[in-house]
Amino acid sequence: MARAQELRERYKEAINNLKDASPLAGYEVRNKLVTTAKNDKKSAVRANAIKQLAIYFNPDSTGVHDDELTELYTEAAKDLSYSVVGEAVFALSSADYKKALELTKSFDVKTQEKLKLTIARIYAVHGSTEQGEFFIKTYKGLSSYEKYNFLELYSEYLLRQDDETINRGLKILEDAAINEKVWWARLTAVYRIQKLESLYQDRGRSLTKEIKTNKSKPEKLKELQDTQLKVNTQIDLITTCLNNIKNQEKDPRVLQYLGGIHSK
């Protein structure tokens, strides 16, 4: 495991060094990766080449998207390998989210099942309230191992959504925090709930500062106070959720974490 991580770091460093050496060197690396993505016989190698292109070359260092790479990702999404399709669609989502979204919707049931975590990755970064139902439906059919990765993506998605969507997701996170069999899976769910709590706490602190500076503006002050009330309602909801989890938890490691982030 450590060896694999070391090799990944060396690979990343090698690409960065080549890119920094000269524009020509960076372009040569890009072209070699493009050739590999298109022509290598091994699907894992093609998928990895697409992943590296998306990370290092699209967009480039100036923020410009590469139309040739966008076309490559679109074509690679038709590959027979699910791993290649997954990396291609995820790469495409950064360049053209609407096109990537259309592709995910066009997949047959089997492909959507195989690529559910890839689709979740895309929605975590780009999804709107419309994609909330995907997470709820998909969660129900996951194994415990899949839930671990899925909940991480779901929580990242929730951090960008409105209160209603967050509250629907909170129920799923609470269910995982109470009912998952292994302690570390429950702990992960608790951690994700705590991230939501921190989101609202940060909003509350910002609102308190704004209220202090807008006391002489009645209309603005009323708007801020109404928003603060909604934020406090959300914090109370999450507090109740965490206390409910704490009351049912038996594992000392999870309880220690819960005690550290929250008290009754």
Side-chain angles (χ1 to χ4, degrees):
M1 191 73 175
R3 177 62 176 167
Q5 179 64 32
E6 181 185 352
L7 288 173
R8 284 194 292 269
E9 291 299 322
R10 287 185 179 181
Y11 185 78
K12 180 178 178 180
E13 182 180 357
I15 289 181
N16 283 331
N17 287 342
L18 281 170
K19 287 179 68 179
D20 293 340
S22 72
L24 179 59
Y27 196 72
E28 288 175 353
V29 173
R30 170 201 176 279
N31 286 347
K32 287 180 180 179
L33 287 171
V34 167
T35 300
T36 300
K38 288 180 177 180
N39 302 319
D40 199 277
K41 293 181 180 180
K42 295 182 178 180
S43 60
V45 175
R46 297 197 303 277
N48 190 53
I50 291 170
K51 182 177 182 179
Q52 302 309 320
L53 283 167
I55 293 173
Y56 298 108
F57 295 98
N58 193 27
D60 62 19
S61 59
T62 63
V64 176
H65 284 285
D66 187 325
D67 291 338
E68 182 184 358
L69 292 185
T70 300
E71 183 178 349
L72 168 65
Y73 303 150
T74 304
E75 288 301 309
K78 303 172 186 176
D79 199 280
L80 296 177
S81 165
Y82 289 120
S83 62
V84 174
V85 173
E87 291 297 344
V89 175
F90 185 71
L92 183 62
S93 68
S94 294
D96 191 337
Y97 171 64
K98 288 185 178 180
K99 182 179 288 187
L101 183 60
E102 289 173 3
L103 279 173
T104 62
K105 290 180 177 179
S106 71
F107 290 151
D108 58 36
V109 174
K110 183 178 180 181
T111 302
Q112 288 188 351
E113 169 63 22
K114 292 287 186 180
L115 298 180
K116 54 182 176 285
L117 288 180
T118 295
I119 295 172
R121 284 170 65 199
I122 294 171
Y123 292 166
V125 178
H126 304 286
S128 63
T129 55
E130 180 186 354
Q131 280 72 55
E133 194 63 29
F134 162 83
F135 285 98
I136 292 172
K137 287 182 177 180
T138 303
Y139 174 78
K140 295 176 182 178
L142 297 177
S143 66
S144 293
Y145 178 77
E146 289 174 324
K147 285 178 181 177
Y148 179 79
N149 294 315
F150 187 81
L151 288 177
E152 178 180 358
L153 296 169
Y154 190 20
S155 68
E156 291 303 314
Y157 161 82
L158 290 174
L159 288 171
R160 302 184 299 100
Q161 306 307 318
D162 60 26
D163 292 348
E164 182 180 353
T165 304
I166 287 174
N167 291 346
R168 293 179 71 192
L170 183 62
K171 292 178 181 178
I172 289 178
L173 291 172
E174 182 178 9
D175 175 76
I178 292 172
N179 296 314
E180 280 300 304
K181 293 181 179 179
V182 293
W183 72 269
W184 50 262
R186 298 195 302 278
L187 180 61
T188 298
V190 170
Y191 172 73
R192 294 298 163 183
I193 293 170
Q194 189 264 332
K195 293 275 285 185
L196 293 175
E197 184 181 46
S198 294
L199 171 72
Y200 284 107
Q201 288 173 340
D202 288 343
R203 288 180 184 176
R205 284 189 283 268
S206 295
L207 283 165
T208 298
K209 291 179 181 178
E210 286 191 72
I211 287 171
K212 287 181 179 180
T213 58
N214 284 276
K215 287 185 176 180
S216 61
K217 303 174 183 177
E219 290 186 9
K220 180 65 175 178
L221 182 62
K222 179 65 165 58
E223 178 186 336
L224 290 170
Q225 288 173 333
D226 288 344
T227 303
Q228 187 182 50
L229 180 62
K230 292 178 181 178
V231 168
N232 288 339
T233 299
Q234 289 297 113
I235 292 174
D236 289 343
L237 182 66
I238 296 172
T239 298
T240 300
C241 171
L242 288 170
N243 282 333
N244 184 39
I245 294 166
K246 185 176 181 180
N247 288 337
Q248 298 185 60
E249 183 57 59
K250 303 299 182 184
D251 190 280
R253 291 161 292 194
V254 182
L255 286 171
Q256 182 180 15
Y257 183 80
L258 280 163
I261 65 168
H262 215 267
S263 60
K264 290 185 178 180

